[in-house]
Amino acid sequence: MRILLIEDEKRIAAFVTRGLEESGYSVDCAENGQQGLARLGEAAYDLLILDLMLPDMDGLVVLEKVRNRNPTLPVLILSARGSLDDRVKGLDLGADDYLVKPFAFVELLARVRALLRRGQSLPERLQAGDLVLDSLRRKVSRGGVPIDLAPKEFAILEYLLRNKGRVLSRTMIVEHVWETDYSGLTNIVDVYIRHLRSKIDDPWPDKLIKTVRGMGYMISAAEEREPAGSASPTS
Ligand code: CA
């Protein structure tokens, strides 16, 4: 497992690198955004740890560039900026997790492990009605029509499909998709579900994503749902 750390503060970079290497990871360090982006172009990484306050550019700009090139690379943001606004912005731009400085190394290690574990899910084709998600190629289509999803929309849809017919609470979705406790940020789920619906449901008559009032969300297709009345035996 190879990790890239983009961090200009030498003391923190040294501390994180040493800790991760002692835990068995290979770590490369970059001390600014340009250098980090260059490294990402040169080698394949399993995880990016990204500081937000860099000498040459805002870490969020780095994140945006990384996401354009590589939508699936897990990204953990490391920042002294812990405001809700910064977190939401980071998550919106496709960061997978957010750790506020100062942090304990064990906390960082737990987040790194969780992110890397998530990256190893088995390739699989998931389906609800005519909606198909290919988790290996990261592609989604409905009725044969390809649909482009943002990374978090994809992650939410994949999670719903892996739990087809089960209601998932907003908290479950936040904790799964961002792998952390963002209680208070569960409204972000509603925003993402709205985006998701506009892409996978609005153009079709059968709406796959159901809102279960007071509980959360569920995905299921018409032919997989129980009929409302008692089913008559086929003759
Ligand atoms: Ca910094």
Side-chain angles (χ1 to χ4, degrees):
M1 288 289 173
R2 196 163 182 192
I3 298 173
L4 178 65
L5 170 66
I6 306 181
E7 166 66 84
D8 61 309
E9 284 166 72
K10 291 197 166 53
R11 196 180 50 83
I12 294 179
F15 152 79
V16 169
T17 303
R18 193 177 59 240
L20 288 173
E21 285 179 350
E22 280 170 3
S23 306
Y25 300 104
S26 316
V27 183
D28 289 339
C29 258
E31 57 189 30
N32 59 52
Q34 284 301 346
Q35 206 182 89
L37 289 168
R39 284 288 178 92
L40 284 168
E42 291 159 3
Y45 290 96
D46 300 295
L47 175 76
L48 169 63
I49 302 176
L50 174 65
D51 178 38
L52 281 194
M53 288 198 242
L54 296 168
D56 59 336
M57 62 173 91
D58 191 314
L60 290 176
V61 175
V62 177
L63 175 61
E64 219 171 351
K65 289 179 191 291
V66 169
R67 273 293 165 255
N68 287 338
R69 290 189 207 167
N70 185 344
T72 57
L73 176 70
V75 178
L76 169 64
I77 286 181
L78 221 53
S79 177
R81 304 195 314 221
S83 76
L84 191 65
D85 192 45
D86 275 323
R87 287 185 187 219
V88 171
K89 234 187 270 172
L91 297 173
D92 256 352
L93 283 171
D96 299 274
D97 206 349
Y98 199 115
L99 196 55
V100 177
K101 294 174 182 174
F103 54 86
F105 182 74
V106 287
E107 175 72 20
L108 174 75
L109 187 60
R111 307 281 183 104
V112 164
R113 283 191 175 135
L115 288 171
L116 289 172
R117 204 167 43 234
R118 198 175 57 188
Q120 290 171 332
S121 57
L122 293 170
E124 214 176 321
R125 184 184 144 102
L126 302 165
Q127 203 164 352
D130 56 354
L131 176 86
V132 179
L133 180 147
D134 181 333
S135 66
L136 178 64
R137 294 187 189 78
R138 317 290 294 174
K139 284 193 187 338
V140 175
S141 66
R142 187 158 181 193
V145 181
I147 300 170
D148 274 329
L149 295 182
K152 291 300 172 202
E153 295 166 358
F154 186 93
I156 291 172
L157 181 60
E158 185 173 7
Y159 186 44
L160 286 168
L161 285 168
R162 287 193 190 281
N163 293 279
K164 192 165 65 172
R166 279 184 56 202
V167 181
L168 302 176
S169 72
R170 290 170 178 79
T171 305
M172 286 166 76
I173 294 172
V174 167
E175 287 183 358
H176 177 85
V177 171
W178 284 274
E179 290 252 352
T180 187
D181 173 26
Y182 283 110
S183 43
L185 271 191
T186 49
N187 284 349
I188 202 169
V189 172
D190 298 331
V191 174
Y192 276 91
I193 291 280
R194 203 152 58 233
H195 292 165
L196 200 49
R197 277 182 163 145
S198 74
K199 295 178 180 177
I200 70 156
D201 266 346
D202 289 355
W204 281 270
D206 181 28
K207 310 302 177 196
L208 299 173
I209 299 177
K210 311 286 176 297
T211 304
V212 183
R213 269 182 62 192
M215 294 180 72
Y217 296 101
M218 177 176 94
I219 200 163
S220 64
E223 67 268 24
E224 292 149 351
R225 284 192 284 275
E226 293 292 320
S230 57
S232 52
T234 48
S235 48

